[in-house]
Amino acid sequence: ARVLPDLIVLFDAELNREFLWPVLRTLLMDSVSAVRENSGWSVPVLLRKYCAMGSRSAADGEMESVVWMSEVTAWLRETFLDEGAPAEAQLRSSLRRLKKQMTSSEGAFSKRQGYCRILAAVALAMRMGEGDFENNLDGLESLPGGSSNGMPSVPVDPFGRMSLYERERFRSLLLRDLLPPALEMAVD
């Protein structure tokens, strides 16, 4: 769970969606709380990878990026806040019991707390991503000499500076999708 953010950075958005997003979902539902907490730091990295795909592609890529980011936020709300359909929630909880992915002590408060941790990680990634782009046109810090030998450049820091487009997408994602449910549980 700790190395997953570094692994997400190595692959493009399509491969992340196909292979690493299912792994991340499994880790976020693990029965060990330390694994769930560590894997929460991968969510903003995955969202940023999806967002970067939208900023570099044509309109189709941007639309696909928006759909994929919405898929992640919808899954978070359904899983951690039980906002899915009642039959789907019952099926999910019975599968959880059968597979023993969640311990019996994992209550609603703990799930909401996990959701808030992920929300904080996304907000922190956005805050850390603010910066100056005079020397860096695409907003990503890369290893030197990455593209000179035909190999794609690899970002050094998944929580590094973001482009204006990425910051705006993260801000929109926070305000529209992630923050409203968290504000509803402010009394907790």
Side-chain angles (χ1 to χ4, degrees), residues 164-181:
L164 180 61
Y165 175 82
E166 289 174 322
R167 282 196 314 265
E168 287 302 316
R169 292 292 306 140
F170 264 62
R171 183 178 183 276
S172 171
L173 188 72
L174 280 169
L175 294 176
R176 188 189 67 231
D177 296 333
L178 296 174
L179 197 54

Side-chain angles (χ1 to χ4, degrees), residues 6-188:
D6 295 325
L7 194 58
I8 289 170
V9 175
L10 294 176
F11 299 101
D12 65 5
E14 291 85 9
L15 289 175
N16 275 303
R17 183 170 188 262
E18 186 176 348
F19 297 109
L20 295 179
W21 171 229
V23 171
L24 178 56
R25 285 191 311 232
T26 302
L27 291 174
L28 287 169
M29 298 301 301
D30 197 88
S31 61
V32 178
S33 65
V35 172
R36 290 191 307 268
E37 289 174 16
N38 286 331
S39 60
W41 290 101
S42 299
V43 173
V45 179
L46 181 69
L47 291 173
R48 184 172 182 188
K49 196 63 159 180
Y50 289 170
C51 185
M53 179 190 79
S55 69
R56 294 183 184 145
S57 305
D60 292 339
E62 184 174 349
M63 190 56 149
E64 197 170 55
S65 168
V66 169
V67 168
W68 291 357
M69 291 173 79
S70 296
E71 175 186 318
V72 172
T73 57
W75 183 86
L76 290 171
R77 286 191 315 271
E78 289 171 4
T79 303
F80 288 95
L81 305 178
D82 294 326
E83 288 187 0
E88 184 181 324
Q90 289 175 354
L91 176 63
R92 215 174 36 244
S93 66
S94 66
L95 287 174
R96 234 182 264 140
R97 281 191 296 269
L98 290 174
K99 294 181 179 181
K100 295 185 180 185
Q101 289 179 338
M102 303 294 285
T103 63
S104 59
S105 64
E106 176 76 16
F109 178 78
S110 181
K111 288 171 135 184
R112 291 191 306 269
Q113 195 175 33
Y115 178 84
C116 289
R117 273 194 210 103
I118 292 170
L119 174 67
V122 171
L124 182 63
M126 186 180 83
R127 180 70 175 136
M128 290 175 66
E130 295 174 351
D132 182 16
F133 293 104
E134 290 177 6
N135 299 326
N136 198 346
L137 297 177
D138 66 351
L140 295 175
E141 294 181 14
S142 302
L143 290 174
S147 58
S148 64
N149 58 7
M151 297 289 291
S153 59
V154 178
V156 174
D157 183 10
F159 290 96
R161 294 181 300 181
M162 291 182 172
S163 67
L164 180 61
Y165 175 82
E166 289 174 322
R167 282 196 314 265
E168 287 302 316
R169 292 292 306 140
F170 264 62
R171 183 178 183 276
S172 171
L173 188 72
L174 280 169
L175 294 176
R176 188 189 67 231
D177 296 333
L178 296 174
L179 197 54
L183 292 175
E184 290 176 9
M185 59 180 124
V187 292
D188 283 351

